[in-house]
Amino acid sequence: MTDILSPSGQAPGRAWARQGARCASIEVERLTCAIGAELRGVNIADAVRDDDLFAEIKSLLLEHRVLFLRDQDLSRAEHVAFASRFGALEDHPVAGSDPDHPGLVRIYKELDSAPEHYENALHTDGTWRVNPSMGAVLHCVESPPVGGDTIWVNMVAAYDRLPAHVKAQIEGLRARHSIEASFGAVMPEEKRIALHEQYPDAEHPVVRTHPETGEKILFVNAFTTHFTNFHTPANVRFGQDYAPGASHLLSYLISQAAVPEYQVRWRWTPGSVAIWDNRSTQHYAVQDYWPGVRKMERAGIVGDRPF
């Protein structure tokens, strides 16, 4: 991978200009030691047609896992065109898409919006799919005067810093991820069952490998319901060992995303954009802004099958 690190000894959080053949004007400021960088001097709409600029942004994304930009004059057509450079866009079976721009989900929280609590949980998008999202591009249309931040978490760091005995225990473990148990839980029984039939639970490794960087990632989140291959003689002496042993371990693993040292928090303003690698992160939209209004538009990108 192209060297995209700051100069040796560069203090975290200090801005530095990325030097490249076409992209020397991009200024990159790391926001934490673990995750996140703000880009300045770039308009992502230009990357729709500029291959070098897009390659630079993608390289920075692999390094920092989530990128932030402010003051982006981005039309919906440009939004989906930019996101489509990463891959095909996906629809959402519950949230739906903008009718004129397939793959663009409007996440509008207004005063008369029905309450829901799916965003304000640490999660990785679409792990209930066989092929979870590769990533997403989120554009702020309207932000509340106070609150409404989003948090992202580096799940590579969450895995790297696990105790050695836990890493050994979870090696080879697999887990189920469910849309029925999350989005479907508030639906009438018939609709919930129909949703499950359309999207059966997906099974993924507890530790996945990033397909581009080779990094190991802790891959459990709010959509994860249970391990599928925990009940072995090595883990279960008697039946009563099964439930607490597995559930306590899963709860412990899911809780790692709440460690502040793995996180970055972003304050939205109209025209700001976040681009994140969904394979190696989790995120949490903080719902602390009522009676403020928050209007976001997201283009999710189809991913690969985790291994």
Side-chain angles (χ1 to χ4, degrees):
M1 185 170 66
T2 303
D3 180 11
I4 57 177
L5 296 174
S6 59
S8 178
Q10 177 69 61
R14 182 178 172 186
W16 57 279
R18 167 81 164 128
Q19 300 300 315
R22 300 270 312 272
C23 308
S25 63
I26 297 182
E27 189 178 275
V28 181
E29 181 178 0
R30 294 176 62 197
L31 299 184
T32 76
C33 293
I35 181 174
E38 182 174 352
L39 307 187
R40 303 190 185 96
V42 59
N43 185 345
I44 61 172
D46 295 338
V48 174
R49 292 168 293 277
D50 189 328
D51 292 342
D52 290 340
L53 177 58
F54 175 75
E56 182 77 357
I57 292 171
K58 183 176 180 181
S59 184
L60 289 166
L61 179 63
L62 290 174
E63 175 65 22
H64 297 287
R65 311 193 194 284
V66 57
L67 303 176
F68 305 104
L69 305 94
R70 294 200 185 274
D71 303 320
Q72 298 292 300
D73 185 14
L74 196 65
S75 69
R76 286 177 178 165
E78 290 169 329
H79 186 168
V80 297
F82 172 73
S84 296
R85 295 221 56 181
F86 291 96
L89 302 187
E90 60 186 18
D91 202 349
H92 194 285
V94 177
S97 288
D98 181 271
D100 298 321
H101 302 90
L104 189 72
V105 178
R106 287 186 282 183
I107 309 171
Y108 287 12
K109 302 296 175 61
E110 304 180 76
L111 294 180
D112 58 351
S113 296
E116 54 83 17
H117 303 284
Y118 303 118
E119 290 184 278
N120 63 335
L122 285 162
H123 66 284
T124 299
D125 284 337
T127 60
W128 39 266
R129 300 182 190 267
V130 174
N131 287 22
S133 305
M134 170 264 155
V137 181
L138 184 63
H139 179 218
C140 178
V141 177
E142 182 178 346
S143 61
V146 178
D149 298 354
T150 302
I151 297 166
W152 279 266
V153 190
N154 180 350
M155 297 309 294
V156 174
Y159 173 76
D160 284 345
R161 298 181 188 179
L162 285 174
H165 75 276
V166 175
K167 288 183 178 179
Q169 188 176 16
I170 65 178
E171 183 178 358
L173 272 185
R174 299 181 66 83
R176 288 283 172 85
H177 299 243
S178 174
I179 190 173
E180 180 191 17
S182 50
F183 287 95
V186 298
M187 295 179 176
E189 183 177 1
E190 289 184 0
K191 288 187 176 181
R192 174 174 57 78
I193 292 173
L195 183 67
H196 181 263
E197 290 176 349
Q198 184 180 4
Y199 294 95
D201 293 353
E203 182 178 306
H204 302 304
V206 170
V207 180
R208 73 169 293 181
T209 301
H210 196 290
E212 296 184 77
T213 68
E215 296 165 307
K216 298 295 185 182
I217 303 159
L218 183 58
F219 201 63
V220 292
N221 69 96
F223 294 123
T224 310
T225 58
H226 64 282
F227 299 127
T228 54
N229 60 338
F230 182 88
H231 198 298
T232 65
N235 294 325
V236 180
R237 304 166 305 152
F238 308 102
Q240 67 181 30
D241 289 350
Y242 170 63
S247 61
H248 291 173
L249 177 59
L250 180 57
S251 295
Y252 168 76
L253 295 175
I254 289 174
S255 75
Q256 297 307 297
V259 175
E261 283 80 357
Y262 306 153
Q263 299 178 352
V264 64
R265 183 167 179 145
W266 178 251
R267 172 61 54 87
W268 294 99
T269 53
S272 55
V273 170
I275 310 163
W276 70 90
D277 187 335
N278 193 61
R279 300 163 295 190
S280 61
T281 64
Q282 291 190 37
H283 56 280
Y284 184 119
V286 184
Q287 293 184 11
D288 61 350
Y289 49 88
W290 196 91
V293 171
R294 185 177 184 267
K295 296 182 179 180
M296 314 293 287
E297 296 182 349
R298 185 190 70 203
I301 304 147
V302 174
D304 62 321
R305 187 166 189 164
F307 62 90

